[in-house]
Amino acid sequence: MSDADKYKDTVFLPKTDFPMRGELPKREPEILKKWQDMDLYRATREASAGRPKWILHDGPPYANGDIHMGHALNKTLKDVVNRFYQSMGNDSPYVPGWDCHGLPIEWKVEEQYRNAGKNKDDVDAIAFRAECRAFAQKWVDVQSAQFQRLGVNGDWKNPYLTMTHRAEAGIVREIHKFATNGGLYKGVKPVMWSTVEKTALAEAEVEYKEHKSITVWVKFPVRGQANTYVVIWTTTPWTLPSNRAIAFGENLDYAAYTITAVKDEARAKVGDTLILSTKLADDVKAKAHIEDWTQASVSFDLSKTVCAHPLHAQGYDFDVPVLAGDFVTDDTGTGFVHIAPSHGEDDYWLYMKHFGAKDIPDNVTDDGKFRDHVPLFAGMEVLTEKGEMGGGNFAVLKALDECGALLAKGSIKHEYPHSWRSKAPVIFRTTPQWFIGMNAITTGTQGDNNAPLREKALAAIRETQWVPAKGEARITAMIENRPDWCISRQRAWGVPIALFVHKDTDEVLQDTDVLSRIADAFEREGADAWWKHDAQYFLGGQYKAEDYHQVFDIVDVWFESGSTHSFVLGDTKTWPDFAGVGKADLYLEGSDQHRGWFHSSLLESCGTTGHAPYKTVLTHGFVLDDKGYKMSKSLGNVVDPLKMMDEHGADIIRLWTMLSDYSEDIRIGKDTLKVTADLYRRIRNTFRYLLGALDGFDKSEMVPESEYKNMPELEQLVLHWLAEMDRDVRGYIQNYEFGRLSHRLHNFCANELSAFYFDIRKDRLYCDRPDLFERRACRTVMAKIFDCLVTWLAPILAFTAEDAWNYRPRGVFDQDTDSVHLRTFPVIPVVWGNDALAAKWNALRDVRRVVLGALEPKRADKTIGSSLEAHPVIYLNADMAKLVAGVDLAELCITSQATVKTDAAPADAFTLSDVTGVAVVFTKAEGGKCQRSWRIVPDVGSNPNYPDLSARDADAVQWYQQNKKAA
């Protein structure tokens, strides 16, 4: 037996069963089962009964597939934030939800039909809706399990689904509020239309992508002016059959250009006179291969000009007036805009201003074909079933070319709206739709009822906290400039705009008995009731069904999810935990939701209550691959959170989320995960060290709080750090700075604790007599560190903190609950804060840095193997010497001895440029080497019974031996 081995039983070495390796993929499902068995969510509600409410309202994902990294980021953030507020002493119920209606689900069911050779239009509406419902429920169940595997704590037994009977009744009641308060109207307007999905789309349902369009320069003959033409330029030649006017800019300069020479490839004719913007004339001349022309002033008043349609001899025999339009520019084109009121916002309003809606043509079908009445092009496709350019485009070009109206053609790549579901380009199409008016003055709401909806929404934005702050400007610009909200969809799966419209007057029936009958039926039977029963069932005995149109348009799913503040937070019968809740404290989603859920919720709530449904809105960016590219199956760069959990564990995803700057787009890849795993290990090792250090610790060993003032300064410093951390943690939470909070917690573990306090206190913990006040103080403070750290980190590392809590010393902590997630943050006494002590120890840490810097070269050249072989001579100026008086610098620097001198330091003394007044000269420690603590000190052998031990270690061994005999 070596000399050291014979004292092994007298040295305290940290011991715990908390594993060094997390084995998260194996351990996390076991912990999750524990939470489910104990019904952690309900236990949390019971534990927090009577506390102030704090509500994060869940924005619903679509129930149409496995979760992806965007889901994982979003749900992790929500869970962490909610747990933090719960830990702050609030009652924070979390009800997860799903969007179950609309095109994402309907599209998938139709896809199954197409693969089976079935036609959706041949299927009964109730049967089709049942299939959509089953499809949605399947994915709700799948995603619920996946979100729970991420560690998200919520009311999974009773989530909100937009397809439940109560939800559908709640949604239709919100529709009825707009129908009766003046906010809802039916109008004919151009909307973005998906020919693939055969429905109108909201702005939030489109994405702008690069698209190649055909460009054409077309001559419109000026009536009464021989061989004179107004030239228009357009990127949508298929809209020319619907042309009804031409717009010019009153502030633009125009001229008449008479062609005198052309190139061989030109379509232009010598002798023709073209009316063009002077700024754009040279560009047109080049595109049309015109060699020369003469310029003259326009000899007629453009505002009184009437043209003929280019195809006037082939079924388009109507006048085409030239109208002033304030949207016409001379940036590109010809300075003239062809007006197709059926297919453009500006076109529509300009035409309506002069002629009304009576003669606006309806030339394109729902699926993107020219209608049968369209001359020359009947039945031809504008866009194919796949969303590609159809033959109708080329047929128009050919007809224009054959009649001599096509001056030039080309192509252009530009940003163009596409359906975010089918990925196909959309068209603008004027159709009868239901709208919520942005300038409508809704009545019967709370708030300023005399203000239009737009003004109410803008005022509500100003009253809301936006995190990050730039979100306010973004959504403000959207609300300021947005058109009326088109809420109708020509689909089958969703909540119908369940109204009756009088056939003669076009007025909406607002009878409260009828509306209540509709909503009550929905609550009993779901929205299927609208298809199950005939109109008379709802109209009752007061009205005749033959006098009314029954509206079967489906409401926009954004209206549904925008109404959740009402039918979820307002449904205290289903969720009693929401009793007394007004506005939600927080809405948290991706930054795209400024035009999505935040936007629709704002308008819906302002239209029915007069205020926003939320107090604060927090946004996060998107998840990209490690090179900064959007994830795509075709690129093979998708990071699957399900595989990540199988390989690394959910806590790695949670930590990655919280350490990232999620306010911007964030990257994930192998290197990112490796860094996250390294940071995780440091935190886990901190837990493991603390649990090992507290082996056998109980309340009898704990120093009473009344004696904390007598603890060594280092312990008092750590208590100050805990007070400081507690203040920072709470501040970061209240300011929604969760990224900074997470980094602060990690750095506290890595720097203040592992690299400083634990390092210094190993000797005391391992070698001091267990009954000494100083050692008891050390273990007491370590218990306080664990108490705080496990609770502060539990919202982030939900599984790991629970695992660590299971290995705690029992009966030590005030909140000795079955789960760490039933605890609240420990209350830190104000007296722990000690700024003066912290300032002193900041200086002492600088002294330590200089000493360690001086020792490092000696380690490197093998002069010493351990810092315990050193005896640094530390030269300090008078102020620093006064500061360190009474401090054991050998203990601080983990050397066996240390000497302080106030003389001038030798020239070769080691210094650091950022630490003034401190210099160090290395010398080796003198004396014998203690075989128990390995310190080299002069008093080794001072106790003849233990000739190879220092006096401190001899005393400790004697204590252990005496207590062993007594036992």
Side-chain angles (χ1 to χ4, degrees):
M1 180 185 290
S2 68
D3 290 339
D5 284 345
K6 66 184 179 182
Y7 300 120
K8 186 170 62 176
D9 290 343
T10 71
V11 175
F12 174 86
L13 294 177
K15 184 175 69 176
T16 178
D17 291 331
F18 180 64
M20 179 182 293
R21 295 178 60 84
E23 295 185 308
L24 298 178
K26 176 177 177 290
R27 291 286 296 122
E28 286 176 346
E30 296 169 359
I31 295 169
L32 178 59
K33 185 176 185 304
K34 168 194 168 181
W35 291 339
Q36 292 169 338
D37 290 346
M38 68 180 290
D39 196 352
L40 177 62
Y41 180 77
R42 190 44 50 197
T44 308
R45 302 282 66 75
E46 291 169 1
S48 53
R51 296 180 193 163
K53 297 282 187 187
W54 189 91
I55 305 298
L56 186 158
H57 181 38
D58 189 33
Y62 279 117
N64 67 336
D66 288 315
I67 66 170
H68 51 67
M69 275 309 301
H71 288 123
L73 169 72
N74 177 264
K75 277 294 194 284
T76 296
L77 269 173
K78 288 175 179 174
D79 186 57
V80 171
V81 172
N82 210 57
R83 287 181 189 270
F84 270 128
Y85 272 91
Q86 180 72 33
S87 299
M88 288 260 285
N90 296 292
D91 179 14
S92 301
Y94 174 69
V95 176
W98 276 272
D99 248 334
C100 302
H101 291 138
L103 273 172
I105 287 101
E106 195 167 346
W107 190 250
K108 291 286 187 180
V109 175
E110 286 188 25
E111 200 172 68
Q112 294 173 6
Y113 282 7
R114 288 190 290 271
N115 294 338
K118 293 168 64 177
N119 187 338
K120 171 217 168 183
D121 296 335
D122 297 335
V123 180
D124 173 73
I126 298 291
F128 177 74
R129 288 170 61 84
E131 291 194 59
C132 290
R133 187 180 300 280
F135 181 91
Q137 187 61 58
K138 167 195 166 185
W139 286 109
V140 165
D141 295 340
V142 169
Q143 289 188 3
S144 174
Q146 293 168 346
F147 287 138
Q148 290 179 68
R149 176 62 187 86
L150 268 173
V152 180
N153 187 32
D155 195 356
W156 298 107
K157 293 179 179 179
N158 193 23
Y160 80 81
L161 311 179
T162 57
M163 66 181 182
T164 63
H165 293 179
R166 281 184 68 79
E168 291 179 336
I171 292 163
V172 86
R173 288 187 180 105
E174 293 300 294
I175 296 170
H176 291 166
K177 288 178 186 177
F178 279 99
T180 56
N181 71 14
L184 183 68
Y185 71 94
K186 189 175 185 181
V188 178
K189 285 186 181 180
V191 294
M192 283 183 282
W193 184 274
S194 169
T195 59
V196 176
E197 295 145 314
K198 303 176 190 175
T199 187
L201 298 178
E203 180 69 29
E205 295 172 298
V206 300
E207 57 188 7
Y208 287 80
K209 299 193 299 184
E210 188 177 83
H211 178 72
K212 185 177 181 180
S213 295
I214 297 172
T215 56
V216 291
W217 289 256
V218 180
K219 301 186 298 182
F220 279 67
V222 178
R223 292 198 189 277
Q225 303 286 334
N227 300 324
T228 301
Y229 304 89
V230 169
V231 182
I232 66 92
W233 175 82
T234 182
T235 60
T236 55
W238 64 268
T239 63
L240 284 163
S242 300
N243 172 275
R244 293 298 182 269
I246 296 170
F248 74 99
E250 288 184 300
N251 298 321
L252 305 187
D253 293 325
Y254 294 92
Y257 299 87
T258 302
I259 301 170
T260 57
V262 297
K263 298 176 182 177
D264 292 343
E265 61 269 37
R267 290 183 171 86
K269 296 176 183 177
V270 173
D272 283 355
T273 298
L274 310 180
I275 311 300
L276 300 165
S277 156
T278 55
K279 183 179 175 182
L280 296 166
D282 286 343
D283 182 63
V284 176
K285 183 180 181 182
K287 294 291 194 307
H289 305 291
I290 296 169
E291 199 163 291
D292 205 0
W293 59 20
T294 61
Q295 179 179 343
S297 299
V298 180
S299 62
F300 48 89
D301 185 349
L302 282 177
S303 66
K304 297 177 181 178
T305 298
V306 176
C307 294
H309 194 281
L311 301 174
H312 60 279
Q314 303 177 68
Y316 294 85
D317 300 315
F318 47 80
D319 290 343
V320 178
V322 179
L323 311 171
D326 58 10
F327 51 85
V328 182
T329 69
D330 54 9
D331 295 336
T332 188
T334 66
F336 292 98
V337 175
H338 112 81
I339 299 299
S342 307
H343 301 295
E345 182 85 16
D346 291 329
D347 310 44
Y348 172 82
W349 288 113
L350 181 64
Y351 192 83
M352 283 286 291
K353 176 181 175 183
H354 290 275
F355 308 108
K358 181 167 162 272
D359 295 320
I360 292 177
D362 180 12
N363 286 344
V364 179
T365 62
D366 291 358
D367 58 353
K369 296 184 179 72
F370 284 117
R371 293 194 185 278
D372 291 342
H373 65 255
V374 179
L376 302 178
F377 314 115
M380 294 183 181
E381 290 181 312
V382 173
L383 292 174
T384 69
E385 286 185 358
K386 295 182 179 178
E388 298 168 351
M389 195 177 294
N393 286 272
F394 305 106
V396 171
L397 286 181
K398 184 181 178 186
L400 291 169
D401 203 12
E402 288 175 349
C403 74
L406 185 63
L407 181 65
K409 67 176 182 176
S411 65
I412 187 174
K413 289 184 177 180
H414 59 144
E415 292 291 300
Y416 189 81
H418 290 65
S419 166
W420 70 269
R421 298 181 190 92
S422 66
K423 307 303 178 186
V426 303
I427 65 173
F428 285 87
R429 183 168 178 248
T430 298
T431 57
Q433 300 290 345
W434 290 90
F435 297 88
I436 290 175
M438 290 301 297
N439 296 317
I441 299 176
T442 55
T443 58
T445 63
Q446 302 162 19
D448 183 5
N449 296 326
N450 295 317
L453 177 57
R454 192 187 309 275
E455 289 185 24
K456 285 181 185 175
L458 291 171
I461 290 170
R462 293 189 292 271
E463 293 167 3
T464 300
Q465 179 184 5
W466 299 89
V467 183
K470 62 184 178 183
E472 180 173 356
R474 186 176 182 190
I475 195 168
T476 296
M478 291 176 177
I479 296 295
E480 284 177 337
N481 299 307
R482 70 155 293 140
D484 289 351
W485 182 6
C486 175
I487 67 163
S488 49
R489 299 292 181 271
Q490 289 64 49
R491 302 300 294 182
W493 175 231
V495 176
I497 300 174
L499 297 168
F500 290 98
V501 179
H502 199 278
K503 290 179 179 179
D504 294 334
T505 66
D506 282 338
E507 290 183 359
V508 172
L509 181 61
Q510 297 186 14
D511 187 293
T512 54
D513 289 340
V514 174
L515 298 181
S516 295
R517 201 174 293 126
I518 294 169
D520 291 346
F522 280 29
E523 186 141 353
R524 289 192 306 271
E525 307 169 48
D528 286 356
W530 199 239
W531 285 265
K532 286 180 183 176
H533 303 288
D534 60 18
Q536 200 63 56
Y537 175 86
F538 299 104
L539 289 168
Q542 263 183 297
Y543 307 96
K544 294 179 180 179
E546 57 263 30
D547 293 337
Y548 290 89
H549 293 294
Q550 185 175 359
V551 179
F552 282 95
D553 284 349
I554 297 299
V555 76
D556 178 10
V557 290
W558 289 108
F559 183 93
E560 290 193 12
S561 59
S563 304
T564 56
H565 67 92
S566 175
F567 70 82
V568 178
L569 299 186
D571 185 0
T572 55
K573 180 179 178 182
T574 305
W575 297 283
D577 296 322
F578 289 141
V581 172
K583 290 185 179 184
D585 290 278
L586 183 67
Y587 275 33
L588 190 166
E589 301 297 334
S591 55
D592 59 333
Q593 296 307 309
H594 288 110
R595 69 186 183 107
W597 191 53
F598 304 149
H599 195 120
S600 62
S601 298
L602 175 71
L603 294 182
E604 205 288 329
S605 181
C606 285
T608 56
T609 70
H611 57 72
Y614 38 66
K615 298 174 185 175
T616 301
V617 171
L618 188 153
T619 58
H620 59 78
F622 298 98
V623 183
L624 309 175
D625 73 3
D626 52 354
K627 294 182 177 66
Y629 293 110
K630 185 178 179 180
M631 291 187 192
S632 163
K633 289 181 181 177
S634 61
L635 294 176
N637 64 346
V638 173
V639 177
D640 184 348
L642 304 176
K643 290 181 180 176
M644 271 192 66
M645 286 189 282
D646 287 343
E647 294 173 15
H648 304 286
D651 267 359
I652 299 300
I653 295 179
R654 295 174 71 94
L655 186 60
W656 164 79
T657 297
M658 301 315 296
L659 290 173
S660 301
D661 180 9
Y662 51 78
S663 64
E664 304 291 342
D665 292 345
I666 53 179
R667 301 183 183 191
I668 189 168
K670 289 183 179 178
D671 290 344
T672 318
L673 292 176
K674 183 179 182 301
V675 170
T676 304
D678 288 343
L679 299 179
Y680 170 81
R681 275 191 289 273
R682 288 178 201 162
I683 295 172
R684 184 178 186 87
N685 286 341
T686 302
F687 279 142
R688 191 166 189 273
Y689 185 82
L690 284 167
L691 289 168
L694 293 171
D695 181 37
F697 185 76
D698 59 29
K699 280 201 168 181
S700 66
E701 185 181 338
M702 190 179 288
V703 173
E705 285 207 25
S706 59
E707 295 183 37
Y708 283 11
K709 62 183 180 293
N710 300 322
M711 284 182 173
E713 279 193 2
L714 184 53
E715 274 62 39
Q716 293 189 52
L717 173 67
V718 174
L719 293 177
H720 167 81
W721 283 346
L722 291 177
E724 197 172 53
M725 273 295 303
D726 182 67
R727 184 173 63 250
D728 288 350
V729 166
R730 293 173 188 270
Y732 288 141
I733 292 170
Q734 289 166 347
N735 292 324
Y736 296 99
E737 296 177 301
F738 298 102
R740 292 183 67 186
L741 185 157
S742 303
H743 279 282
R744 179 82 166 87
L745 286 169
H746 166 265
N747 293 341
F748 182 62
C749 291
N751 300 330
E752 283 89 340
L753 296 181
S754 296
F756 187 73
Y757 182 63
F758 294 169
D759 200 29
I760 293 170
R761 279 296 180 245
K762 281 178 182 174
D763 180 72
R764 171 157 290 163
L765 184 66
Y766 297 0
C767 298
D768 271 9
R769 275 176 51 168
D771 64 332
L772 290 181
F773 176 81
E774 291 79 6
R775 187 178 184 277
R776 289 174 52 223
C778 171
R779 295 237 288 174
T780 298
V781 166
M782 287 189 172
K784 294 298 180 184
I785 295 171
F786 180 79
D787 189 19
C788 291
L789 207 56
V790 74
T791 317
W792 289 335
L793 280 163
I796 301 170
L797 299 176
F799 293 101
T800 301
E802 182 78 321
D803 205 12
W805 181 247
N806 288 337
Y807 290 94
R808 72 193 180 279
R810 305 290 165 148
V812 169
F813 303 106
D814 291 339
Q815 302 177 68
D816 205 25
T817 54
D818 290 339
S819 169
V820 71
H821 300 292
L822 295 174
R823 310 182 85 223
T824 55
F825 289 160
V827 177
I828 305 297
V830 176
V831 294
W832 287 11
N834 191 333
D835 291 336
L837 182 68
K840 172 182 177 179
W841 276 81
N842 283 338
L844 289 172
R845 291 175 77 181
D846 284 340
V847 173
R848 173 182 155 96
R849 279 200 300 122
V850 180
V851 171
L852 297 184
L855 299 187
E856 195 52 41
K858 303 302 178 181
R859 284 178 184 268
D861 66 12
K862 310 297 184 184
T863 301
I864 57 173
S866 156
S867 62
L868 289 175
E869 297 174 37
H871 177 176
V873 179
I874 305 169
Y875 292 85
L876 302 176
N877 61 28
D879 289 339
M880 289 294 274
K882 183 178 179 182
L883 190 73
V884 305
V887 175
D888 186 342
L889 291 182
E891 178 184 71
L892 176 67
C893 302
I894 316 179
T895 59
S896 289
Q897 298 153 37
T899 298
V900 172
K901 291 188 176 182
T902 55
D903 306 338
D908 60 349
F910 181 86
T911 60
L912 291 176
S913 59
D914 63 329
V915 181
T916 58
V918 182
V920 175
V921 172
F922 168 81
T923 64
K924 293 193 75 170
E926 297 176 353
K929 182 176 182 179
C930 175
Q931 294 303 306
R932 183 169 176 269
S933 64
W934 297 356
R935 292 187 306 155
I936 298 170
V937 287
D939 65 0
V940 169
S942 56
N943 186 327
N945 294 323
Y946 304 99
D948 52 358
L949 298 183
S950 69
R952 186 276 308 261
D953 289 272
D955 180 54
V957 169
Q958 193 169 18
W959 183 92
Y960 273 107
Q961 290 174 341
Q962 289 172 350
N963 278 272
K964 189 175 182 181
K965 287 179 182 176

Coordinates of all heavy atoms in Angstrom, one line a residue, residues 49 106 177 186 223 253 281 304 467 628 649 861 878 903:
A49 N -52.3 27.1 -8.1 CA -53.6 27.6 -7.9 C -53.6 28.9 -7.0 O -52.9 29.0 -6.0 CB -54.5 26.6 -7.2
E106 N -57.0 19.9 -46.9 CA -57.8 19.5 -48.1 C -56.9 19.1 -49.3 O -57.3 18.2 -50.0 CB -58.7 20.8 -48.5 CG -59.8 20.5 -49.4 CD -60.8 21.6 -49.5 OE1 -60.7 22.5 -48.6 OE2 -61.6 21.6 -50.4
K177 N -70.5 38.3 -35.6 CA -70.2 39.6 -35.0 C -69.9 40.6 -36.1 O -70.4 41.8 -36.1 CB -69.1 39.5 -34.0 CG -69.4 38.8 -32.7 CD -68.2 38.7 -31.8 CE -68.5 37.9 -30.6 NZ -67.3 37.8 -29.7
K186 N -70.1 41.9 -48.9 CA -69.8 41.1 -50.1 C -69.5 42.1 -51.2 O -70.3 43.1 -51.4 CB -71.0 40.2 -50.4 CG -70.7 39.3 -51.6 CD -71.8 38.3 -51.8 CE -71.4 37.3 -52.9 NZ -72.5 36.3 -53.2
R223 N -58.9 55.7 -82.2 CA -60.0 56.0 -83.1 C -59.9 57.5 -83.6 O -59.7 58.4 -82.8 CB -61.3 55.8 -82.3 CG -61.6 54.3 -82.0 CD -63.1 54.1 -81.6 NE -63.4 52.8 -81.1 CZ -63.6 51.7 -81.8 NH1 -63.5 51.7 -83.2 NH2 -63.8 50.5 -81.2
D253 N -44.4 62.9 -69.6 CA -44.3 63.6 -70.9 C -44.5 62.5 -72.0 O -43.8 61.4 -71.9 CB -42.9 64.2 -71.0 CG -42.8 65.4 -70.1 OD1 -43.8 66.1 -69.9 OD2 -41.6 65.6 -69.6
A281 N -39.1 56.0 -74.8 CA -39.2 55.9 -76.2 C -38.0 55.1 -76.8 O -38.1 54.2 -77.6 CB -39.4 57.2 -76.9
K304 N -59.1 62.5 -73.5 CA -60.3 62.4 -74.3 C -60.2 61.4 -75.4 O -61.0 61.3 -76.3 CB -60.8 63.8 -74.8 CG -61.0 64.8 -73.7 CD -61.4 66.1 -74.3 CE -61.7 67.2 -73.2 NZ -61.9 68.5 -73.7
V467 N -41.2 42.4 -29.7 CA -39.8 41.9 -29.4 C -39.4 41.0 -30.6 O -40.0 40.0 -30.8 CB -39.8 41.1 -28.1 CG1 -38.4 40.7 -27.8 CG2 -40.3 41.9 -26.9
G628 N -26.4 28.4 -44.3 CA -27.3 29.5 -44.4 C -28.3 29.4 -45.5 O -29.0 30.4 -45.8
G649 N -30.9 13.7 -28.4 CA -31.8 14.0 -27.3 C -32.4 15.3 -27.4 O -31.9 16.2 -28.1
D861 N 7.3 23.8 -19.3 CA 8.7 23.3 -19.4 C 9.1 22.3 -18.3 O 10.2 21.9 -18.1 CB 9.7 24.5 -19.3 CG 9.8 25.2 -18.0 OD1 9.2 24.7 -17.0 OD2 10.3 26.3 -17.9
A878 N 0.7 49.3 -2.9 CA 0.1 49.5 -1.5 C -1.4 49.3 -1.5 O -1.9 48.6 -0.6 CB 0.5 50.9 -1.0
D903 N 7.6 45.6 -2.1 CA 8.8 46.2 -2.8 C 8.6 46.3 -4.3 O 7.6 45.8 -4.8 CB 10.1 45.3 -2.6 CG 10.3 45.0 -1.1 OD1 9.8 45.7 -0.2 OD2 10.9 43.9 -0.8

